[in-house]
Amino acid sequence: MKSAALMAALALAIPLAPAAADPAADPISTLVGQLDLEKYKATIKSLTRFGDRRQGTERNRQALDWIEAQLKSYGCTNTERLQYQYTQPAPDAPPAKRAPGIPSGGAGGPPGQGGSTLFGNRIPTGVNTDPMLQPDEKLRALNAEQTPVGTSQRENVYCTKVGATHPEEMYIVSAHMDGIGFGEAANDDGSGTALVMELARIFSAPGVETDRSIRFALWNNEETGLNGATAYAMQRKDLQGIESPKGSGKYPEPKWLGMIQHDMMMWDHGMPIPKLDAAGKPVLDAKGQAVYVSPPEQRREADVNIEYQSVSKQAEASAKLAWAFRAANDKYATNYPAAVGFHMTNTDSTPFMDLVPSISLRENERGQQIGAGWDPNWHQPSDVYATYSDKDFLLGLNAAQTTLAGVAQLAGARIRK
């Protein structure tokens, strides 16, 4: 049975409310207006100082320290860290066996991850493991340290906006902060991390109150199999809603009402297109097949992809949560629309999806589009800040507008003068 609090909160957000007669009287519009493209870009740029932030390395630990310091500077001062153990296999070890996956897609094309089906032009995807493919020598040196083999401690960092009337309930707003590929992890996942940090800044500003709590979490070890988010879910799920100490009015782990995850947010240039030579003719590979490349510029019909997982135990409530965010995008986003899909996969909301309504926001659908090579910078040396234009950064900012508006509605945000 779904909690009355959850269903009441979702019901508040699903209808598209009429516009306020006086825009200044709408606190959500005011909060969304505090999002700024240059601030968003600056946060991403700062994260790239730590290279690809590969888990288990000193640059990863330095990035965690910097994120925590920034959260505190925003006024989200009750920061915490969750510790867990992770075992890094030897480079020549056989790949770990994974749990059975979500069923593949239909007969319309090759099966994609998360239950999706691949359509249209496709280009290969994968993880770059060769540091020499990074042409920037300084960045190559920054990323030189590799994760040590064996078992050692890892950490997630998070801070919490405590609800004024229902501190015992909360929404989790999250992204992962680690990356791979010997780039700067500017998009994957600097763009998602910066989004969560910008929301923490705005919700933590003086005068901003929410009825329910909001936890801003930056996961580690996403790239190794969602280990940081999984550790949090397993360690904290049975602590939900417990007042501690008794009678204190404090809830170290408020009851989860919804989990909103963010990943790479900036590159939606569309389906790969044929590569042309100087004469305008299609380039062919050694087998005589057409070579496809990503279009060079952000497409005007780009969108923010909101996904839930249709085979999860919380599928019905997750779908309602996804459509609530679609409605928030319609009302408050400025440049790009949102689309809802039902094949959420390979992201840090997965460990939560059977426990709480869970959605993931990305630049593309993870299985059907990213799995078909729609983002050529994914896990590659080219995932550096300089790769992206303002049109790309603006897509990430519109995702931030969407999440901020959706969470503000659900958590009951207001501004006290």
Side-chain angles (χ1 to χ4, degrees):
M1 180 177 292
K2 303 175 183 68
S3 73
L6 167 62
M7 298 313 297
L10 289 176
L12 287 174
I14 292 168
L16 186 59
D22 177 10
D26 181 359
I28 298 174
S29 180
T30 300
L31 293 172
V32 170
Q34 314 243 342
L35 286 165
D36 178 80
L37 181 61
E38 293 307 315
K39 288 181 179 178
Y40 178 61
K41 289 168 59 179
T43 302
I44 296 174
K45 181 65 172 175
S46 293
L47 285 162
T48 65
R49 292 185 294 129
F50 306 102
D52 64 11
R53 305 183 295 282
R54 187 181 299 258
Q55 58 84 22
T57 63
E58 180 61 24
R59 60 187 182 277
N60 177 278
R61 292 186 288 272
Q62 290 176 350
L64 276 171
D65 291 343
W66 181 83
I67 290 168
E68 182 173 21
Q70 288 297 111
L71 293 173
K72 289 180 178 179
S73 75
Y74 300 154
C76 202
T77 54
N78 54 346
T79 60
E80 300 178 68
R81 296 204 187 191
L82 180 134
Q83 285 81 35
Y84 60 98
Q85 298 293 309
Y86 174 72
T87 301
Q88 176 70 25
D92 56 351
K97 291 184 178 180
R98 292 183 175 269
I102 295 166
S104 299
Q113 292 174 305
S116 66
T117 301
L118 304 182
F119 293 96
N121 302 334
R122 300 186 295 277
I123 56 179
T125 64
V127 178
N128 173 54
T129 58
D130 183 358
M132 297 310 295
L133 292 181
Q134 175 50 254
D136 185 326
E137 292 184 4
K138 290 183 179 179
L139 181 54
R140 197 189 310 152
L142 178 61
N143 287 332
E145 182 194 0
Q146 295 301 289
T147 303
V149 173
T151 301
S152 53
Q153 181 175 284
R154 302 288 188 272
E155 293 183 313
N156 299 319
V157 63
Y158 58 89
C159 73
T160 308
K161 169 79 174 179
V162 178
T165 57
H166 290 286
E168 77 283 3
E169 299 175 340
M170 76 171 176
Y171 290 91
I172 300 173
V173 178
S174 62
H176 73 91
M177 53 73 62
D178 64 316
I180 51 177
F182 294 97
E184 291 178 334
N187 190 26
D188 188 12
D189 189 25
S191 61
T193 298
L195 185 156
V196 172
M197 293 176 68
E198 280 296 280
L199 265 60
R201 176 181 66 82
I202 291 170
F203 277 111
S204 300
V208 178
E209 290 185 356
T210 57
D211 290 331
R212 294 175 175 84
S213 299
I214 308 170
R215 179 156 291 171
F216 304 97
L218 288 315
W219 312 119
N220 213 338
N221 278 95
E222 191 271 354
E223 302 290 8
T224 58
L226 320 179
N227 306 93
T230 300
Y232 180 97
M234 294 302 99
Q235 290 184 33
R236 309 293 293 180
K237 63 183 177 66
D238 295 330
L239 304 177
Q240 295 179 66
I242 298 175
E243 188 181 28
S244 181
K246 198 73 173 175
S248 66
K250 296 181 179 180
Y251 298 85
E253 192 64 33
K255 180 178 176 58
W256 306 340
L257 298 182
M259 199 285 189
I260 303 100
Q261 168 67 12
H262 303 83
D263 212 297
M264 45 213 286
M265 307 303 311
M266 300 196 300
W267 189 278
D268 188 5
H269 292 208
M271 182 184 295
I273 59 175
K275 182 178 181 180
L276 304 178
D277 62 18
K281 296 181 179 180
V283 174
L284 305 180
D285 63 17
K287 297 181 180 179
Q289 297 176 331
V291 175
Y292 295 101
V293 294
S294 181
E297 189 170 278
Q298 189 74 276
R299 58 182 183 151
R300 295 187 66 180
E301 65 271 25
D303 54 19
V304 177
N305 289 89
I306 305 167
E307 294 188 273
Y308 67 97
Q309 181 45 253
S310 61
V311 301
S312 68
K313 293 179 181 179
Q314 296 283 340
E316 181 182 352
S318 295
K320 291 182 178 180
L321 183 62
W323 284 106
F325 273 60
R326 164 65 190 267
N329 171 275
D330 280 354
K331 186 174 180 183
Y332 293 102
T334 55
N335 299 87
Y336 296 105
V340 173
F342 54 95
H343 296 309
M344 183 183 78
T345 186
N346 295 69
T347 189
D348 284 314
S349 44
T350 302
F352 293 85
M353 69 182 186
D354 289 333
L355 304 172
V356 60
S358 301
I359 60 175
S360 170
L361 278 72
R362 288 184 188 259
E363 61 195 11
N364 292 296
E365 290 193 15
R366 171 58 182 86
Q368 187 176 91
Q369 296 173 346
I370 295 176
W374 284 36
D375 186 340
N377 309 303
W378 181 47
H379 297 159
Q380 297 301 308
S382 57
D383 189 4
V384 296
Y385 183 88
T387 293
Y388 305 99
S389 72
D390 274 3
K391 291 180 181 179
D392 300 318
F393 291 114
L394 193 60
L395 180 63
L397 190 75
N398 274 242
Q401 294 170 337
T402 301
T403 297
L404 193 155
V407 172
Q409 287 180 308
L410 291 170
R414 56 189 171 274
I415 301 173
R416 297 288 189 190
K417 294 184 179 179

